[in-house]
Amino acid sequence: QSIAVKAATGSPYTHVGMIRITKSGPVVIEAARTVTETPLDEFISRGRDHRYSVYRVDGLTKAQSDKIMSAASKDYGKPYDLFFRLDSAAIYCSELPWRAYKAAGLSIGTIEKVGDLKINVASAVALIDHRWQKHPDCKGDSKEACKSKLTNQDIVTPISLARDRKLTQVFSSF
């Protein structure tokens, strides 16, 4: 999946999470198999060549930060969304911070259409071919009808978060 995301978005960023500082050290709130907390070191070690970047939104108040973390924690345990839909039943990685900030009255990232991405590259085609029949919006559809629906589906990508001018990069090993 990460190969397809990288190719479709033209970005090295294929997974995101949100750092939360705890008494036992930093953790990343992420949507992986489920929405959960992962120790930061473990999160980094899963990345290709252990590369990662850190972004932050400057000027957040404590109240805003608390609302963001509270909103994200309400998604704990929800399954990963293999279909990248912006609904709350299942959550994909870049949807998690987008949704948490939105709950706090803030906007990060850009909503795009799946069809605006490079979905005709081999890895993206293979991913769509593998999943389309199970897509909740495509029950009973032909492959062509499903693909038409998918191209009009809204999505927020890891790179759209990184490109948001409200976020400042504070570290990158890319």
Side-chain angles (χ1 to χ4, degrees):
Q1 176 175 300
S2 63
I3 293 168
V5 171
K6 183 177 181 177
T9 63
S11 165
Y13 298 136
T14 60
H15 188 59
V16 300
M18 299 167 48
I19 296 176
R20 185 172 80 82
I21 305 302
T22 70
K23 290 179 183 177
S24 58
V27 296
V28 178
I29 304 169
E30 65 170 328
R33 287 190 172 137
T34 62
V35 176
T36 190
E37 290 185 357
T38 303
L40 179 60
D41 290 343
E42 182 182 324
F43 181 87
I44 292 169
S45 72
R46 288 195 327 250
R48 172 168 252 155
D49 299 323
H50 307 288
R51 292 181 299 178
Y52 68 101
S53 295
V54 177
Y55 290 80
R56 73 168 171 236
V57 175
D58 292 320
L60 285 180
T61 66
K62 178 163 179 9
Q64 288 172 318
S65 181
D66 289 347
K67 281 183 184 179
I68 292 163
M69 290 296 127
S70 175
S73 71
K74 289 177 183 171
D75 287 329
Y76 284 10
K78 288 186 179 178
Y80 185 80
D81 186 355
L82 294 171
F83 305 107
F84 309 112
R85 297 169 71 218
L86 291 176
D87 71 18
S88 61
I91 307 293
Y92 64 93
C93 70
S94 45
E95 178 187 12
L96 180 66
W98 175 82
R99 186 176 295 287
Y101 275 76
K102 185 177 176 186
L106 301 167
S107 170
I108 61 169
T110 302
I111 301 297
E112 302 172 84
K113 297 291 184 190
V114 170
D116 293 336
L117 305 176
K118 299 172 195 156
I119 60 171
N120 290 324
V121 296
S123 55
V125 169
L127 186 65
I128 292 169
D129 284 350
H130 180 71
R131 294 183 181 170
W132 77 269
Q133 288 179 308
K134 295 178 185 168
H135 195 291
D137 296 334
C138 294
K139 302 270 188 221
D141 286 346
S142 67
K143 183 178 175 182
E144 292 73 30
C146 181
K147 190 168 182 183
S148 178
K149 285 181 182 178
L150 295 182
T151 60
N152 288 310
Q153 179 179 302
D154 289 338
I155 190 169
V156 61
T157 62
I159 190 61
S160 83
L161 296 172
R163 287 182 177 150
D164 191 308
R165 293 178 188 256
K166 292 182 283 303
L167 276 75
T168 301
Q169 186 179 76
V170 295
F171 175 83
S172 182
S173 59
F174 280 90

